[in-house]
Amino acid sequence: MSPTVTTSSEANGNVSAATARAAASAAATAEAEGPQPVTMAKALNTAMADAMQADPSVLVFGEDVGMLGGVFRITDGLTKTFGEQRCFDTPLAESGIVGMAVGMAMNGMRPVIEMQFDAFAYPAFEQIVSHVAKMHNRTKGALKLPLVIRVPYAGGIGGVEHHCDSSESYYAHTAGLKVFTPATVADGYRMLREAIDSDDPVMFMEPKKLYWSKDMVDLEELREQHSANVAAGTSSEGRAAVARPGTDATLIAYGPSVPTALAAAAAAAEEGRSLEVIDVRTIVPFDDETVSASVRKTGRAVVIAEAHGFASVSSEIVARIQERCFHYLAAPIRRVTGFDVPYPAPKLEHYYLPSVDRILDAVDDLQWED
Amino acid sequence: MSPTVTTSSEANGNVSAATARAAASAAATAEAEGPQPVTMAKALNTAMADAMQADPSVLVFGEDVGMLGGVFRITDGLTKTFGEQRCFDTPLAESGIVGMAVGMAMNGMRPVIEMQFDAFAYPAFEQIVSHVAKMHNRTKGALKLPLVIRVPYAGGIGGVEHHCDSSESYYAHTAGLKVFTPATVADGYRMLREAIDSDDPVMFMEPKKLYWSKDMVDLEELREQHSANVAAGTSSEGRAAVARPGTDATLIAYGPSVPTALAAAAAAAEEGRSLEVIDVRTIVPFDDETVSASVRKTGRAVVIAEAHGFASVSSEIVARIQERCFHYLAAPIRRVTGFDVPYPAPKLEHYYLPSVDRILDAVDDLQWED
Amino acid sequence: MTISANHTAHDPGPQTVNADPVAEAVRKFGITVEDYMLPARHQIQMVDPGGRLKPDSEQGTEPGHEYPLPGAEELLAAYEQLVIGRRVNDQNSALVRQGRMAVYPSSHGQEACQVAAALCLSEGDWMFPTYRDSVAVMARGVDPVQTMTLFRGDWHSGYDPMKHRVGIQCTPLTTQLLHAVGVAHAAKLRGENTVVLAMCGDGATSEGDFHEALNFAAVFHLPVVFFVQNNKYAISVPLAHQSVAPSLAHKAVGYGMAGERVDGNDVVALLAVLDRAVKLARDGSGPLLVEANTYRMQAHTNADDATRYRQDSEVAEWLAKDPVSRMKTYLTGRGLLDDETDFRIAEKAEAIATRLRDGLGEDVPVDPQDLFRHVFASPTPQLLEQSAMLADELAREESSGEGAK
Amino acid sequence: MTISANHTAHDPGPQTVNADPVAEAVRKFGITVEDYMLPARHQIQMVDPGGRLKPDSEQGTEPGHEYPLPGAEELLAAYEQLVIGRRVNDQNSALVRQGRMAVYPSSHGQEACQVAAALCLSEGDWMFPTYRDSVAVMARGVDPVQTMTLFRGDWHSGYDPMKHRVGIQCTPLTTQLLHAVGVAHAAKLRGENTVVLAMCGDGATSEGDFHEALNFAAVFHLPVVFFVQNNKYAISVPLAHQSVAPSLAHKAVGYGMAGERVDGNDVVALLAVLDRAVKLARDGSGPLLVEANTYRMQAHTNADDATRYRQDSEVAEWLAKDPVSRMKTYLTGRGLLDDETDFRIAEKAEAIATRLRDGLGEDVPVDPQDLFRHVFASPTPQLLEQSAMLADELAREESSGEGAK
Ligand SMILES: Cc1ncc(C[n+]2csc(CCOP(=O)(O)OP(=O)(O)O)c2C)c(N)n1
Ligand SMILES: Cc1ncc(C[n+]2csc(CCOP(=O)(O)OP(=O)(O)O)c2C)c(N)n1
Ligand SMILES: [Mg+2]
Ligand SMILES: [Mg+2]
């Protein structure tokens, strides 16, 4: 029943906001046949276009998503292709955007809305927590809320304050929201299509530093896979991916941290240590099975996330593993997360972000001598 | 250097919103000498009055806090005593209240503001996360933000939806906020005074079901203790309390769950099991020392909180314990938390809330046979 | 003073300023765009507190702000709903006192607003009510006992919003106005003829979502009628601490929409103003804002103590403006209401009160598994696990003879 | 049409409607409260785009909306700041192109607004700027290099807000308006004579915090001047998609405050309008709202591509309204500016540009421990632990010869 989930990704460095333009032109290139180097931006853009093509009730709106194609150009071309009624700009008000989307979803539409940056979704927090998350429940399912809230999140792009928050824990803690975060280009396409198809509201967290990362991907194949999955009634929701198999310890990461974890695993391999890397993919629902199986196998785990560690998704992952794998653990589970400080200014973000070295330090600490 | 922290509390059942009136009259009674039965409501009210008396820059405002004394009557009498300039109603807008308080704190005041209910603080989320938490940091300390945001939180009072959220994890996860939550009447006084004295912004989470719980407390003594602590430069910030000593396992709880944990410990004692109960008191900063010392001693732990468990303060506590006490643990740390569902309607909340039985079940699960 | 409606003296005004109703009013009456958008000088009042029809010249109407008297049939239907609404309010308050319901925010004294809000809409239209608008919800056709589910505490909402096109009664203030905007927007995109009535109180107008909702509706030119029941209090906070604007209806011009204020205890004027607003909206005017001047006769809810913040004399003043008795006097005077009809109406109201007493008297069993059942359309493994945990716990309790507490 | 300012035809209006300036204007000019609160029919413009002083009768002034010409000294000071502002904008844009700064939201074309915002304030007053208001911040006296810290990326803000009473340049839109309200409220409670200028853009007026800030300021009757630079775009979104109100200044009446619109490229008119607004506010009028019609001549920031959403012809139109050259022509024509003075001013501007080039050329070392140092006034054990962890990590890197990346 579970579809195949494959992953691959390039570790990629910091990119300046100015490269948005490059992403735009990449997103605009015509589709070639077979596997091609495709950016995450292009995959997300294609997923929206395909969903809009497939279902006229799919609408895209937000700030600057129309003519401009979004500040990251993820919605590039959608207004041109589908018209101003299907992809349009709103007044500058995030609570307004989410609240209007709730009403539209109540009335037969499937809105896919963009919050311009992580921290600029906070004005919509009440709508998200008190309505988006609860509407289905409080009406005993009479009202479905098929709504996708796309949030470019996390750092590593040298952005000024309020442009680099890792806000996934706020949503993951809110009962009634599903929380997806792709780490590979293929997952960008696959997971966004699934989010749009879902009858549940999905917080779709897009690691903005990966917008311009490229994988070799065949979009046409992904499209066909998606159709096949829909026909079969399957979905990759709730499935973590083994991004790299290994035997000595498990690195558990999601979104922007997956490439870093893979790079760490590659470096460890050179030192003769075999690390398995799990890409969580959907934080809610969480794939306990895959994560537990890996940790039971390796006996050691490091959880990696950019967000502040305190009371976060990474705390949850640690808690779940120790609940489920206690007797298999050879060492305490370590966390490599952002520090519990406001996201720093560009020149300091390097010190804040989980790095390959910091992950390897944590792995070294896993009491190998015992 | 650390002041004495003593705790005592009554487990108390559900109370209807209508008993606000009773609390009001209790809060209005004149102070008697020596230890008296005092409600949490009275302790909080007295703490604000004393702080306003001590420092003219302390202001109280919010919705209905003036003439009405707040919907829970916690600010009862403050307008009458200190005038409309010191305690006043605002227009009905939570972002406005917090944002205005930020400006006032920048300009020499020490605002103590009330959010009427947990879920009604969400409109202020952007102000809290993007400004309250960050102002001191982004100005390299040039601007201090002595600001207390009082939030009546959690359930157990039979309230309708949006009136019973446990929202502490959102704030605890936000770098730059301190998060206090008293569980005893004495702590209600002590911790609110300390929060008001603090030069850092404090989310002061008041377990609303404990507003009408009474302890034997000598307010005058607490007042003197507070003065002595101020003179000595000490504070109970960051200190957990051993609410009940024990040897077999540790129950870790805070706010509304402390009385439930104490009741569970009492029940366990009858069955011959000695449980230590830790009252976390300040979630941020967290008292690793006290918690770790207890778990190292007992080797078993259950973390209890009303909030949804996923990606929460309780996840964090589990993660911290396993990081610090791994080799002392005889069994996986268990959590007894609210389910990951929206807070239920009054007639169902009983099934949602951590109960004595559910805690005892978790204790039973701590692999005693091993 | 005539004021141009241009953003600057040079640029042409934005598109909707030239939209039909405004342009037409401007042309027809020689008034300015501001005159159209600002409320008329006085609130619209047709029947005075004594139940007398006011002369046309004293109803507060003006060029561009004209309101014909609603028809007799509509007025009688409104009266019937007024009587029912009052009965429902009083019955529910009694049920709360008897402990059969946890809380009830009564609209006693605001029944004219409640009734007009329901009657001005057609079947395909939508209503977005607040916690205080139970009478409007019932007047729209929702089952009384289902309406009360929220306040009884069995579940967050007891009715299916799709069935009568009524949003669930909303607690987080003004958040529902944006849902109304979204529903209208979706309908407009599909070319449907739907009008949406979005309700809130005077206090709620201070919230940011109020601003965002009105602006979105105006910019997208949507058929939404914003209906503010200005009952002078937000719990304990009087209007003067909420706004110092000349009126709440004066906010409309700031969004480029028309505003009007109306006597909220005069159901005749309310129907006239709301019927026209709904018609204008349906015909493509874009949104409108209607402020009804009324009064919350009772405490905010049963948990509130209104003596702490207002004088009895103020309440007494408003008692003299009662919407129900006023309408009765008026209809009787016009010969539209006789004792027999009045008795028949009272019987209907009593039947509904009985249905409420019976329905809320029953102790409907709740199912703990409902906690998990409706969180998602497609559940998570985590919830299935938690659901099993609870089931197991309850089964153990059951078998150990304790039963649920 | 005269419109009464009462909430209802019966109730007396709220307190501030009777506050002095309004009552006085109403009495003196025989105008209505709405006439006072609504902006004048046309924007206020004193010097036309060609640099000619307009005749009094064509300046857009009206009874209750009268603005005397500012004095020569103030005008010359304004011109100096205009020239400096333009130079600063161009220098910073160049520094961004050279990679010495990450981003710079230029106010090129809006310098008249920037300068007037700083000059209208007294020393004890406060300013709350946005990310686009760097020129205003510098004109208020903040060190240019410190102002640019945010955009260079060393830290979130480089200056001490208390020193010049300038809030840090704010990114989350309109949130700072509420801080302005709070600062004014605190000052008022202490009986201080402080006026606060709160700045935002046209797009920002759509946010809920805009609404809440204006309403709080009005209800608490605070000396805040809200100054909206309507530069016609919010990134790519044109004004017409942001608001369909007759003007943004028309929002004022909805809060019970006075609104005015002014040519935002005419520093003479801006000074006249803002000086009066500040004086009214200081004298106790309560808050005011001033909308300046201007234009963002360049892209939103260097990361933006304005060709995607607007025509060159539109930009060219506004080039002809340039605030700097307009003022130069005007002052020269009036004999207030000669070549020598102009040269001296240009030199001053160049000196500041040099200071920016030098200051931003230096590679100021950052201290990783600053991550932890300023989070709290009194640090948590957790942060001390994390700080030690990083110190240890860096020490190990250092000793392993790698150094920090
Ligand atoms: C966002 C939010 N803040 C606060 C509350 C608490 N609250 C419930 S009703 C109310 C007063 C509302 O007054 P108004 O809008 O005038 O409506 P009324 O109750 O008078 O009908 C308040 C403050 C809430 N429900 N939602
Ligand atoms: C709350 C919030 N939402 C979104 C953004 C992203 N953003 C930055 S500037 C901007 C446009 C602002 O336009 P306007 O208020 O007209 O000011 P201008 O840039 O034209 O000076 C947007 C959408 C933000 N900074 N804050
Ligand atoms: Mg009200
Ligand atoms: Mg703009």
Side-chain angles (χ1 to χ4, degrees):
Chain A
M1 279 292 288
S2 69
T4 321
V5 179
T6 55
T7 62
S8 68
S9 185
E10 297 172 332
N12 71 320
N14 293 3
V15 283
S16 124
T19 50
R21 232 166 300 166
S25 61
T29 50
E31 242 168 76
E33 263 179 52
Q36 303 287 331
V38 174
T39 62
M40 171 82 86
K42 171 73 178 165
L44 296 168
N45 180 274
T46 308
M48 278 185 280
D50 288 357
M52 291 173 89
Q53 192 67 50
D55 181 350
S57 66
V58 175
L59 303 175
V60 170
F61 54 93
E63 292 159 10
D64 300 289
V65 299
M67 280 232 271
L68 186 65
V71 294
F72 293 105
R73 307 293 186 266
I74 310 301
T75 59
D76 192 36
L78 298 181
T79 298
K80 208 172 151 205
T81 309
F82 298 99
E84 286 192 353
Q85 308 235 310
R86 302 281 307 281
C87 175
F88 55 87
D89 294 333
T90 64
L92 216 173
E94 293 77 11
S95 187
I97 294 168
V98 175
M100 183 169 80
V102 167
M104 288 178 130
M106 285 176 63
N107 198 8
M109 299 298 188
R110 305 185 85 86
V112 181
I113 60 180
E114 178 173 302
M115 302 278 99
Q116 198 159 83
F117 285 86
D118 29 66
F120 306 143
Y122 301 151
F125 200 68
E126 181 185 33
Q127 286 286 350
I128 294 173
V129 174
S130 292
H131 290 301
V132 174
K134 296 184 173 63
M135 194 63 86
H136 187 270
N137 183 63
R138 56 155 59 120
T139 63
K140 286 202 172 172
L143 280 184
K144 303 227 176 314
L145 218 64
L147 170 57
V148 179
I149 304 183
R150 295 181 39 242
V151 185
Y153 84 116
I157 62 159
V160 294
E161 59 168 357
H162 311 299
H163 289 74
C164 302
D165 280 18
S166 286
S167 48
E168 70 277 16
S169 299
Y170 297 131
Y171 307 120
H173 178 60
T174 303
L177 299 174
K178 292 189 169 166
V179 184
F180 293 9
T181 183
T184 68
V185 172
D187 265 351
Y189 181 89
R190 183 164 29 211
M191 290 170 69
L192 185 49
R193 293 281 329 247
E194 291 179 352
I196 298 173
D197 287 350
S198 169
D199 278 341
D200 289 312
V202 177
M203 298 300 302
F204 197 84
M205 311 299 293
E206 302 175 358
K208 62 174 92 73
K209 80 166 184 194
L210 299 185
Y211 276 147
W212 308 288
S213 71
K214 282 184 190 165
D215 289 339
M216 291 299 289
V217 152
D218 183 343
L219 284 171
E220 184 50 34
E221 196 190 308
L222 282 173
R223 199 173 276 133
E224 282 162 17
Q225 248 181 38
H226 178 77
S227 302
N229 287 346
V230 168
T234 57
S235 152
S236 75
E237 179 185 304
R239 302 256 148 214
V242 179
R244 177 189 174 111
T247 52
D248 296 344
T250 305
L251 305 183
I252 298 142
Y254 57 83
S257 300
V258 172
T260 321
L262 286 168
E270 286 180 20
E271 297 170 16
R273 207 164 255 166
S274 164
L275 303 183
E276 181 147 304
V277 178
I278 306 275
D279 171 1
V280 169
R281 298 180 75 253
T282 66
I283 298 174
V284 180
F286 187 80
D287 186 351
D288 281 313
E289 232 174 281
T290 303
V291 170
S292 296
S294 174
V295 177
R296 286 184 186 155
K297 180 179 73 180
T298 62
R300 289 179 167 84
V302 177
V303 180
I304 302 144
E306 266 192 36
H308 316 309
F310 201 88
S312 68
V313 169
S314 59
S315 330
E316 178 64 29
I317 298 177
V318 172
R320 300 187 84 78
I321 296 175
Q322 81 83 35
E323 281 160 358
R324 283 163 179 74
C325 313
F326 185 75
H327 294 288
Y328 299 83
L329 284 171
I333 307 151
R334 288 288 314 265
R335 286 185 280 176
V336 178
T337 68
F339 296 118
D340 292 316
V341 308
Y343 196 87
K347 297 208 174 165
L348 287 155
E349 72 179 352
H350 159 72
Y351 300 105
Y352 172 90
L353 292 170
S355 63
V356 167
D357 286 348
R358 210 170 279 167
I359 295 170
L360 294 177
D361 283 355
V363 170
D364 283 345
D365 273 1
L366 294 174
Q367 310 187 349
W368 299 94
E369 66 285 357
D370 296 2
Chain B
M1 280 291 288
S2 69
T4 319
V5 179
T6 55
T7 62
S8 67
S9 184
E10 298 172 333
N12 71 319
N14 293 3
V15 282
S16 122
T19 49
R21 231 166 300 164
S25 62
T29 49
E31 242 168 76
E33 264 179 49
Q36 303 287 330
V38 174
T39 62
M40 170 82 86
K42 171 72 177 168
L44 296 168
N45 179 274
T46 307
M48 279 186 279
D50 288 357
M52 291 173 87
Q53 191 68 50
D55 181 350
S57 65
V58 175
L59 304 174
V60 171
F61 55 93
E63 292 159 9
D64 301 289
V65 299
M67 279 232 271
L68 186 65
V71 293
F72 293 106
R73 308 293 187 265
I74 309 300
T75 59
D76 191 37
L78 297 181
T79 298
K80 207 171 152 205
T81 308
F82 298 100
E84 286 192 353
Q85 309 235 309
R86 302 280 308 280
C87 175
F88 55 87
D89 294 333
T90 64
L92 215 173
E94 293 78 10
S95 187
I97 294 167
V98 174
M100 183 168 80
V102 167
M104 287 178 131
M106 285 175 64
N107 199 8
M109 299 297 188
R110 307 185 84 85
V112 181
I113 60 181
E114 178 174 302
M115 301 279 100
Q116 199 159 82
F117 285 87
D118 29 66
F120 305 143
Y122 300 151
F125 200 68
E126 181 185 34
Q127 286 286 350
I128 294 174
V129 174
S130 292
H131 289 301
V132 174
K134 296 183 172 64
M135 194 62 87
H136 186 269
N137 183 63
R138 58 163 47 129
T139 63
K140 286 201 172 174
L143 280 184
K144 303 227 177 313
L145 219 62
L147 169 57
V148 179
I149 305 183
R150 295 181 38 243
V151 184
Y153 84 116
I157 62 158
V160 293
E161 57 169 357
H162 312 299
H163 289 75
C164 302
D165 279 18
S166 286
S167 49
E168 70 277 15
S169 299
Y170 298 130
Y171 307 120
H173 178 60
T174 303
L177 298 175
K178 292 188 170 166
V179 183
F180 293 8
T181 184
T184 68
V185 173
D187 266 351
Y189 181 89
R190 183 164 29 209
M191 291 170 69
L192 185 49
R193 293 282 328 247
E194 291 179 352
I196 298 173
D197 286 350
S198 169
D199 278 342
D200 290 312
V202 177
M203 300 298 303
F204 197 84
M205 311 299 294
E206 303 174 359
K208 61 175 92 72
K209 81 166 184 195
L210 300 185
Y211 275 147
W212 308 287
S213 72
K214 282 184 190 166
D215 289 339
M216 290 300 289
V217 151
D218 182 345
L219 284 171
E220 184 50 36
E221 195 190 308
L222 282 174
R223 198 173 277 132
E224 280 162 18
Q225 246 181 40
H226 178 78
S227 302
N229 288 345
V230 169
T234 57
S235 152
S236 75
E237 178 184 302
R239 303 255 148 216
V242 178
R244 178 189 173 111
T247 52
D248 296 344
T250 305
L251 304 183
I252 298 141
Y254 56 84
S257 300
V258 172
T260 321
L262 286 168
E270 288 182 19
E271 296 170 17
R273 208 164 254 166
S274 164
L275 303 183
E276 181 147 305
V277 177
I278 307 275
D279 171 0
V280 168
R281 299 180 76 253
T282 67
I283 298 174
V284 180
F286 187 80
D287 186 351
D288 282 312
E289 232 174 279
T290 302
V291 171
S292 295
S294 174
V295 178
R296 285 184 187 155
K297 179 179 74 181
T298 62
R300 289 179 168 84
V302 176
V303 180
I304 302 145
E306 266 193 36
H308 316 309
F310 201 88
S312 67
V313 169
S314 58
S315 331
E316 178 64 28
I317 298 176
V318 172
R320 301 186 85 77
I321 296 175
Q322 82 83 34
E323 282 159 357
R324 284 162 179 74
C325 313
F326 184 76
H327 294 289
Y328 299 83
L329 284 172
I333 307 151
R334 288 288 314 265
R335 286 185 279 176
V336 177
T337 68
F339 296 118
D340 292 316
V341 307
Y343 195 86
K347 297 209 175 165
L348 287 154
E349 72 178 352
H350 159 71
Y351 300 105
Y352 173 89
L353 292 169
S355 61
V356 167
D357 286 348
R358 211 171 278 166
I359 296 170
L360 294 177
D361 283 353
V363 170
D364 282 344
D365 273 1
L366 293 174
Q367 310 187 347
W368 300 94
E369 66 286 359
D370 296 0
Chain C
M1 178 181 297
T2 308
I3 300 172
S4 88
N6 295 346
H7 266 283
T8 73
H10 302 288
D11 301 346
Q15 186 203 341
T16 44
V17 168
N18 304 318
D20 281 352
V22 185
E24 202 182 294
V26 168
R27 213 173 35 246
K28 192 159 135 200
F29 305 111
I31 61 176
T32 66
V33 170
E34 276 92 344
D35 285 339
Y36 177 82
M37 291 182 181
L38 287 172
R41 177 182 356 187
H42 296 289
Q43 67 173 356
I44 309 301
Q45 188 190 57
M46 295 183 160
V47 174
D48 73 14
R52 283 170 299 267
L53 185 70
K54 294 177 89 173
D56 278 6
S57 62
E58 291 174 24
Q59 292 184 359
T61 56
E62 286 171 13
H65 300 254
E66 279 153 339
Y67 299 98
L69 194 70
E73 205 178 328
E74 195 182 7
L75 294 181
L76 207 61
Y79 177 69
E80 178 171 318
Q81 289 300 328
L82 276 180
V83 173
I84 292 171
R86 174 62 50 86
R87 188 70 193 86
V88 162
N89 274 328
D90 294 349
Q91 180 61 74
N92 286 336
S93 295
L95 287 167
V96 168
R97 282 193 301 274
Q98 293 157 22
R100 304 241 216 120
M101 230 160 39
V103 65
Y104 180 66
S106 175
S107 63
H108 188 115
Q110 300 175 221
E111 289 93 347
C113 296
Q114 297 287 304
V115 166
L119 294 194
C120 70
L121 296 177
S122 301
E123 208 185 313
D125 294 339
W126 272 85
M127 170 192 282
F128 278 85
T130 74
Y131 51 89
R132 196 175 300 288
D133 299 318
S134 302
V135 167
V137 169
M138 293 182 202
R140 176 118 178 104
V142 177
D143 177 75
V145 176
Q146 286 184 8
T147 307
M148 286 302 108
T149 298
L150 166 65
F151 302 114
R152 174 158 65 172
D154 307 24
W155 200 254
H156 308 296
S157 179
Y159 54 88
D160 176 353
M162 300 310 291
K163 195 169 161 207
H164 294 277
R165 302 196 165 211
V166 178
I168 77 173
Q169 286 183 259
C170 189
T171 299
L173 295 165
T174 68
T175 52
Q176 77 280 8
L177 303 187
L178 283 161
H179 309 163
V181 167
V183 163
H185 203 159
K188 185 184 171 179
L189 287 176
R190 283 195 302 263
E192 293 164 3
N193 210 9
T194 313
V195 172
V196 183
L197 188 86
M199 305 169 77
C200 76
D202 49 318
T205 66
S206 296
E207 291 278 5
D209 274 7
F210 176 85
H211 179 68
E212 300 189 12
L214 268 72
N215 193 44
F216 272 57
V219 166
F220 292 115
H221 207 68
L222 302 174
V224 182
V225 177
F226 294 96
F227 182 48
V228 178
Q229 286 169 77
N230 176 353
N231 65 4
K232 306 300 177 291
Y233 285 90
I235 308 187
S236 72
V237 180
L239 182 59
H241 290 181
Q242 208 63 248
S243 172
V244 294
S247 81
L248 299 175
H250 276 75
K251 294 182 185 290
V253 66
Y255 305 100
M257 67 172 81
E260 197 68 277
R261 48 193 163 171
V262 53
D263 181 342
N265 287 17
D266 173 6
V267 78
V268 181
L270 278 161
L271 284 171
V273 169
L274 286 175
D275 282 348
R276 176 168 176 260
V278 167
K279 184 178 178 336
L280 283 172
R282 201 180 311 280
D283 292 350
S285 73
L288 300 102
L289 170 63
V290 175
E291 174 191 5
N293 275 298
T294 181
Y295 194 78
R296 199 194 71 211
M297 294 299 290
Q298 301 182 343
H300 175 69
T301 66
N302 45 299
D304 180 37
D305 174 8
T307 62
R308 281 184 160 246
Y309 52 82
R310 71 183 186 189
Q311 304 289 324
D312 286 350
S313 59
E314 189 183 277
V315 182
E317 238 175 72
W318 280 89
L319 195 58
K321 301 178 190 170
D322 186 72
V324 187
S325 61
R326 181 192 307 201
M327 190 60 174
K328 180 170 178 174
T329 310
Y330 168 61
L331 289 180
T332 309
R334 264 190 68 183
L336 290 171
L337 182 70
D338 55 21
D339 283 356
E340 195 190 330
T341 314
D342 205 23
F343 183 75
R344 199 179 37 71
I345 290 173
E347 273 187 331
K348 264 200 194 176
E350 204 46 50
I352 292 174
T354 306
R355 166 128 180 68
L356 278 166
R357 275 196 310 273
D358 292 351
L360 295 164
E362 292 168 33
D363 215 355
V364 187
V366 292
D367 179 356
Q369 286 300 332
D370 274 347
L371 280 185
F372 308 99
R373 211 164 265 148
H374 310 291
V375 180
F376 292 112
S378 130
T380 65
Q382 283 71 37
L383 283 185
L384 296 177
E385 213 174 76
Q386 294 175 20
S387 155
M389 225 173 82
L390 179 60
D392 176 59
E393 176 183 309
L394 294 175
R396 279 184 291 118
E397 268 181 28
E398 186 76 22
S399 70
S400 79
E402 279 180 61
K405 272 186 222 170
Chain D
M1 178 180 299
T2 307
I3 300 171
S4 88
N6 293 346
H7 267 281
T8 71
H10 302 288
D11 301 347
Q15 186 202 341
T16 44
V17 168
N18 304 319
D20 281 352
V22 186
E24 202 181 293
V26 168
R27 215 175 30 247
K28 192 158 134 201
F29 305 111
I31 61 176
T32 66
V33 170
E34 275 91 346
D35 286 339
Y36 178 83
M37 291 182 181
L38 286 171
R41 175 179 1 183
H42 296 289
Q43 67 173 357
I44 309 299
Q45 187 190 57
M46 295 185 161
V47 174
D48 73 16
R52 284 170 299 268
L53 186 70
K54 295 176 90 173
D56 279 5
S57 62
E58 291 173 23
Q59 292 184 358
T61 55
E62 287 171 13
H65 300 254
E66 279 153 338
Y67 299 99
L69 195 68
E73 204 177 328
E74 194 183 8
L75 294 180
L76 207 61
Y79 177 69
E80 178 172 317
Q81 288 301 327
L82 276 180
V83 173
I84 293 172
R86 174 62 51 86
R87 188 72 191 84
V88 161
N89 274 328
D90 294 349
Q91 180 61 75
N92 286 337
S93 296
L95 287 168
V96 169
R97 282 192 302 273
Q98 293 156 23
R100 305 240 216 120
M101 229 158 41
V103 66
Y104 180 67
S106 175
S107 64
H108 188 115
Q110 300 176 221
E111 289 92 348
C113 296
Q114 297 288 304
V115 166
L119 294 194
C120 70
L121 296 177
S122 300
E123 209 184 311
D125 294 339
W126 271 86
M127 170 191 282
F128 279 85
T130 75
Y131 51 89
R132 195 175 300 290
D133 300 319
S134 301
V135 167
V137 169
M138 294 181 202
R140 176 116 179 105
V142 176
D143 177 76
V145 177
Q146 285 183 7
T147 307
M148 286 302 108
T149 298
L150 166 64
F151 302 114
R152 174 158 65 171
D154 309 23
W155 200 254
H156 308 294
S157 180
Y159 55 89
D160 176 353
M162 299 311 291
K163 195 169 160 206
H164 294 276
R165 302 196 164 210
V166 178
I168 76 174
Q169 287 183 259
C170 189
T171 299
L173 295 165
T174 67
T175 53
Q176 77 280 7
L177 304 187
L178 282 161
H179 309 163
V181 167
V183 163
H185 203 159
K188 185 183 171 179
L189 287 176
R190 283 195 301 264
E192 294 164 3
N193 210 6
T194 312
V195 172
V196 182
L197 188 85
M199 304 170 78
C200 75
D202 48 321
T205 64
S206 296
E207 291 278 6
D209 274 7
F210 175 85
H211 179 68
E212 301 189 12
L214 268 73
N215 193 44
F216 273 57
V219 165
F220 293 115
H221 207 69
L222 302 174
V224 182
V225 177
F226 294 97
F227 182 49
V228 178
Q229 287 170 78
N230 176 354
N231 66 4
K232 306 298 177 291
Y233 285 90
I235 308 187
S236 72
V237 180
L239 182 60
H241 290 180
Q242 208 63 247
S243 172
V244 294
S247 81
L248 299 175
H250 276 75
K251 293 183 185 291
V253 66
Y255 305 101
M257 66 172 80
E260 197 69 278
R261 47 193 166 172
V262 53
D263 182 343
N265 287 15
D266 173 7
V267 78
V268 182
L270 278 160
L271 284 171
V273 169
L274 286 175
D275 283 348
R276 177 170 176 260
V278 168
K279 184 176 176 338
L280 283 172
R282 201 180 310 281
D283 293 350
S285 73
L288 301 101
L289 170 63
V290 175
E291 174 191 5
N293 275 299
T294 182
Y295 193 78
R296 198 193 73 209
M297 294 299 290
Q298 300 181 343
H300 175 69
T301 66
N302 45 299
D304 179 37
D305 174 7
T307 63
R308 280 184 160 245
Y309 52 81
R310 72 184 185 188
Q311 304 288 324
D312 286 351
S313 60
E314 188 184 278
V315 182
E317 236 175 73
W318 280 89
L319 195 58
K321 302 178 192 170
D322 186 73
V324 187
S325 61
R326 181 192 307 201
M327 189 60 174
K328 179 170 179 173
T329 311
Y330 168 61
L331 289 180
T332 310
R334 264 189 69 182
L336 290 171
L337 182 69
D338 55 23
D339 283 356
E340 195 189 327
T341 315
D342 205 22
F343 183 76
R344 198 181 37 73
I345 289 173
E347 273 187 333
K348 264 200 195 176
E350 204 46 50
I352 291 174
T354 306
R355 166 128 180 68
L356 277 166
R357 275 195 311 273
D358 292 352
L360 295 165
E362 292 169 33
D363 215 356
V364 187
V366 292
D367 179 355
Q369 286 300 333
D370 273 348
L371 280 185
F372 308 100
R373 211 164 265 147
H374 311 291
V375 180
F376 292 111
S378 131
T380 64
Q382 283 72 37
L383 284 185
L384 297 176
E385 211 175 76
Q386 295 175 20
S387 155
M389 224 174 82
L390 179 61
D392 175 60
E393 177 185 307
L394 294 175
R396 279 184 290 119
E397 269 181 29
E398 186 77 20
S399 71
S400 79
E402 282 179 57
K405 270 184 221 164

